[in-house]
């Protein structure tokens, strides 16, 4: 496995392979778990070369404490990537990615006003800028993102469309622990007791899916989920929404199979967790 920290070295390496080989790209912020490894494995199946980036992107954090707490495990991550069959790792510094503070601002329209966009102002501008830079540096044929960050997938889809990136976006299923908790790098910050409680998110999503499929309205379903979190003082529910799985816009009833998504975010202690179910 090759490892690079500068864009010029990575570009030079990939330029040799690019004319005849397909490149699959898995961008990450490190602290890798099985969900990331599944992305690498899928990319390996569908491409000749797999590139993964490890970069904790400072401009997508609207909370400085959240940025400082984000786990950084570069050497361990590289070992996991190599074992999974990754061919190239790009692990730049913040100075490499942003030699000057970026002044460009991206606006993703209605995606900025709901769910993650509403509660994390500026977040998707930071996501869009770093993904756009990484696409320009790596120039992949396909890019792989996990469904757990469903709204982020919608943002990247719009970035690809509006800026005409020649990249195929692949959305991959959320990987869960045995008890249903969505795998996340942030789970490392949970205490043992919080880790047990964290499965409440998946239970609430499952309840919501059952209520919707039984004919309950979106409003009734959201009230039921709010009640679940209100009964547990260790949680602070940030949002619960029923949306179109592609556009992220709110819906009032179940859509065609695979088009409805229930999305939520909640704080458990100092850890912010997000999850969703698509059905």
């Amino acid at each position: 496995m090759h490892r690079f920290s500068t864009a010029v070295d990575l570009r030079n390496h990939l330029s040799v392979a690019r004319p005849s080989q397909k490149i699959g790209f898995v961008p990450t912020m490190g602290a890798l778990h099985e969900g990331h490894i599944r992305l690498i494995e899928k990319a390996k199946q569908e491409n000749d070369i797999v590139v993964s980036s490890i970069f904790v992107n400072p401009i997508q954090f609207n909370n400085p404490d959240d940025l400082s707490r984000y786990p950084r495990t570069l050497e361990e991550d590289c070992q996991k990537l190599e074992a999974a069959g990754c061919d190239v790792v790009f692990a730049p510094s913040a100075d490499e990615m942003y030699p000057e503070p970026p002044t460009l601002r991206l606006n993703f329209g209605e995606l900025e006003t709901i769910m993650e966009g509403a509660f994390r102002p500026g977040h998707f501008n930071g996501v869009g800028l770093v993904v756009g830079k990484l696409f320009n540096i790596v120039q992949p044929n396909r890019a792989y993102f996990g469904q757990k960050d469903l709204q982020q997938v919608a943002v990247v889809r719009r970035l690809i469309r509006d800026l005409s990136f020649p990249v195929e976006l692949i959305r991959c299923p959320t990987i869960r622990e045995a008890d249903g908790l969505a795998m996340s790098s942030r789970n490392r910050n949970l205490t043992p007791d919080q880790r047990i409680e964290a499965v409440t998110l998946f239970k609430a999503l499952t309840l919501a899916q059952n209520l919707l499929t039984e004919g309950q309205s979106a409003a009734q379903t959201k009230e039921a989920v709010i009640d679940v979190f209100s009964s547990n003082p260790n949680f602070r529910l940030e949002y619960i929404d029923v949306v179109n799985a592609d556009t992220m816009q709110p819906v009032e009833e179940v859509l065609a199979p695979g088009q409805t998504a229930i999305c939520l975010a909640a704080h458990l202690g100092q850890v912010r967790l997000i999850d969703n179910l698509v059905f």
Side-chain angles (χ1 to χ4, degrees), residues 254-260 279:
V254 175
L255 306 176
Q259 291 300 303
T260 307
F279 63 100

Side-chain angles (χ1 to χ4, degrees), residues 5-20:
S5 60
T6 68
V8 66
D9 288 342
L10 176 64
R11 283 189 173 119
N12 289 339
H13 177 79
L14 292 176
S15 65
V16 177
R18 182 168 288 108
S20 60

Side-chain angles (χ1 to χ4, degrees), residues 7-58:
V8 66
D9 288 342
L10 176 64
R11 283 189 173 119
N12 289 339
H13 177 79
L14 292 176
S15 65
V16 177
R18 182 168 288 108
S20 60
Q21 296 183 293
K22 297 293 185 183
I23 297 174
F25 179 44
V26 180
T28 84
M29 292 205 300
L32 303 185
H33 51 70
E34 184 61 26
H36 295 109
I37 299 307
R38 297 285 185 89
L39 297 178
I40 295 293
E41 291 172 348
K42 183 167 179 58
K44 191 73 173 175
Q45 293 170 1
E46 299 177 350
N47 302 276
D48 302 300
I49 296 174
V50 175
V51 179
S52 183
S53 61
I54 298 175
F55 178 62
V56 181
N57 179 34

